[in-house]
Amino acid sequence: MEWEFNSYYTLIAATVVLLVGKLMVNRIKFLQNFNIPEPVAGGLLAAVILFGLHYFYGASFKFEKPLQDAFMLMFFTSIGLSADFSRLRAGGMPLIIFLILVSVFIVVQNGIGVGMATAMGLDPLIGLMTGSVTLTGGHGTAGAWGSVFENQYGVTGATGLGMAAATFGLVVGGLIGGPVARRLVNKMHRPRLDVGGARATHADGGEIIDDPFEVRDQPRLITASSAIETLAMFAVCLSFAEIMNTYVGVLPKFVWALGAGVILRNVLVLVFKFNMFDRAIDVFGNASLSLFLAMALLNLKLWELSGLAGPVVAILAVQTLVMALFAYFITFRVMGKNYDAAVLSAGHCGFGMGATPTAVANMQSVTEHFGPSHKAFLIVPMVGAFFIDLVNVAILKIFISILH
């Protein structure tokens, strides 16, 4: 028995998940202490409930996947529309260092996957599917490389395995980032902020400073006209991404959407002197992020994950441990051993195991309790959403050429 939810009911279900997640985080001290993002908390509860219904009654659930993808594209578009060239220049050397650091971890991730798969008698390409293809790459990369591995290299079930591993990474990335950062921050004896304190950091006399994504629940002063202008820019970027994905390909669609946002923003600001309304972009971006994560976890079929072979589960468990240790001992130290470095470590856990939306949610859960980190929110979205996909493809091709 399969229950199919159209776009309207999928949207309703996602909003319920977010409301329940917010209630859980507000009421359960454990979730607060470990900085678990609200979409992850509510989404995991929903996934467990759906698993119980499937286990006891044989029911399965299908939610509207294109709607989930649309919110993901809107989130990446919002990153692009928020990234003017002055902010990119401000990233400077720390952005380059972080990109190198993340690239090194991709090599480590694939080395673990290939090494463990070979040791257990599996095709080494399965090691790549449980490495950066799915964990750093996410669902989109998993689907693309899965078909390549099946059609060109004869790896049976590579796409299904990739989807399961990417889903595992999405969940785990949201679970380990907050605790890693919390432990690092607590060692600095940095005090927690109350709700008013977090907002006071960004507000002065009611005027909100535009720091996209840093304080998700901060009030934004927007108008109907600014919202319409912002939606028009989103529409342009999403249309451009659709056209480029259809006729050019090469890069994932979300990269085209992000790139279109960067180009559109800077052309409007530098050439036409347009007054970009970052608050509206911020609102749409954060809402899209939360809805994407909620829908992704609603589509998490735990009964499929439970059917993963033991060796694959072992590889993913080791990958999780290595990610947490790498972020804690290496990312934190290399990036400066300060509060910004701790928030960067949470972000690294997010897209190193899952996706950039998870990284941003991880960082939000930390900064809401301990204060803003402009440096982390400048670096992580650009590295995780744009540069890392290009690096990942290059490293994967090197590994494949060595293995075959």
Side-chain angles (χ1 to χ4, degrees):
M1 179 174 59
E2 181 177 77
W3 295 78
E4 187 169 346
F5 291 73
N6 62 25
S7 57
Y8 300 108
Y9 291 110
T10 298
L11 183 59
I12 291 171
T15 55
V16 171
V17 165
L18 293 177
L19 292 173
V20 171
K22 183 175 183 178
L23 182 65
M24 291 173 63
V25 172
N26 288 339
R27 298 289 181 86
I28 301 175
K29 194 70 174 175
F30 170 83
L31 299 177
Q32 295 177 13
N33 290 339
F34 284 89
N35 302 310
I36 304 302
E38 293 169 4
V40 174
L44 281 179
L45 176 62
V48 170
I49 292 173
L50 295 181
F51 174 77
L53 293 174
H54 176 80
Y55 183 81
F56 291 106
Y57 300 103
S60 60
F61 303 86
K62 182 179 180 181
F63 295 91
E64 189 78 14
K65 186 66 166 57
L67 187 63
Q68 174 187 323
D69 295 337
F71 281 115
M72 179 189 71
L73 291 175
M74 286 188 66
F75 167 71
F76 282 111
T77 300
S78 70
I79 294 177
L81 289 172
S82 299
D84 59 37
F85 289 143
S86 62
R87 289 177 180 170
L88 296 181
R89 288 195 300 270
M93 187 55 66
L95 188 148
I96 296 174
I97 294 173
F98 190 67
L99 177 60
I100 294 172
L101 191 67
V102 171
S103 302
V104 170
F105 182 71
I106 290 178
V107 177
V108 172
Q109 206 169 51
N110 285 330
I112 291 171
V114 171
M116 290 188 66
T118 303
M120 292 184 286
L122 301 175
D123 189 324
L125 291 180
I126 292 180
L128 293 181
M129 290 302 294
T130 52
S132 72
V133 170
T134 57
L135 301 180
T136 296
H139 287 82
T141 307
W145 282 102
S147 60
V148 171
F149 286 175
E150 288 178 346
N151 298 329
Q152 296 186 19
Y153 301 106
V155 181
T156 304
T159 301
L161 171 63
M163 291 297 106
T167 303
F168 174 90
L170 186 69
V171 174
V172 171
L175 290 176
I176 67 174
V180 166
R182 173 181 174 271
R183 183 172 177 84
L184 290 170
V185 173
N186 285 342
K187 289 176 64 177
M188 304 174 199
H189 304 291
R190 186 182 179 96
R192 293 170 67 94
L193 298 174
D194 57 22
V195 176
R199 289 179 178 171
T201 304
H202 289 269
D204 182 12
E207 182 64 25
I208 308 299
I209 298 174
D210 294 315
D211 291 314
F213 310 114
E214 288 194 45
V215 184
R216 179 189 55 204
D217 294 327
Q218 176 178 290
R220 270 76 167 181
L221 306 177
I222 65 175
T223 63
S225 61
S226 64
I228 292 172
E229 290 175 357
T230 303
L231 284 174
M233 290 188 288
F234 273 87
V236 170
C237 295
L238 295 175
S239 299
F240 177 82
E242 182 67 30
I243 293 171
M244 296 302 289
N245 185 69
T246 301
Y247 295 103
V248 179
V250 183
L251 299 173
K253 188 187 291 188
F254 71 83
V255 176
W256 290 117
L258 185 148
V262 173
I263 294 171
L264 180 61
R265 180 196 175 94
N266 288 280
V267 168
L268 290 176
V269 171
L270 299 176
V271 178
F272 296 99
K273 309 302 180 183
F274 181 76
N275 184 22
M276 191 69 65
F277 209 86
D278 284 325
R279 297 170 196 162
I281 297 171
D282 189 9
V283 168
F284 289 123
N286 278 296
S288 299
L289 165 64
S290 295
L291 288 167
F292 162 73
L293 289 174
M295 291 178 186
L297 291 170
L298 279 172
N299 279 306
L300 171 60
K301 295 177 173 58
L302 289 175
W303 54 91
E304 292 181 357
L305 285 180
S306 64
L308 284 174
V312 174
V313 173
I315 295 173
L316 292 175
V318 172
Q319 295 281 26
T320 302
L321 178 62
V322 171
M323 176 73 262
L325 293 175
F326 191 95
Y328 187 87
F329 289 106
I330 299 179
T331 303
F332 176 69
R333 294 175 185 273
V334 172
M335 296 309 299
K337 295 191 294 185
N338 52 24
Y339 176 65
D340 288 324
V343 180
L344 282 168
S345 298
H348 192 186
C349 289
F351 71 77
M353 287 297 295
T356 303
T358 309
V360 173
N362 281 352
M363 295 192 299
Q364 285 177 341
S365 69
V366 177
T367 56
E368 283 175 359
H369 291 97
F370 296 101
S373 173
H374 309 313
K375 181 178 180 180
F377 277 88
L378 172 68
I379 292 175
V380 167
M382 289 307 302
V383 172
F386 186 70
F387 294 112
I388 202 59
D389 280 288
L390 303 178
V391 174
N392 194 20
V393 170
I395 293 175
L396 283 170
K397 288 185 177 180
I398 293 173
F399 268 88
I400 291 173
S401 66
I402 294 173
L403 295 173
H404 284 266

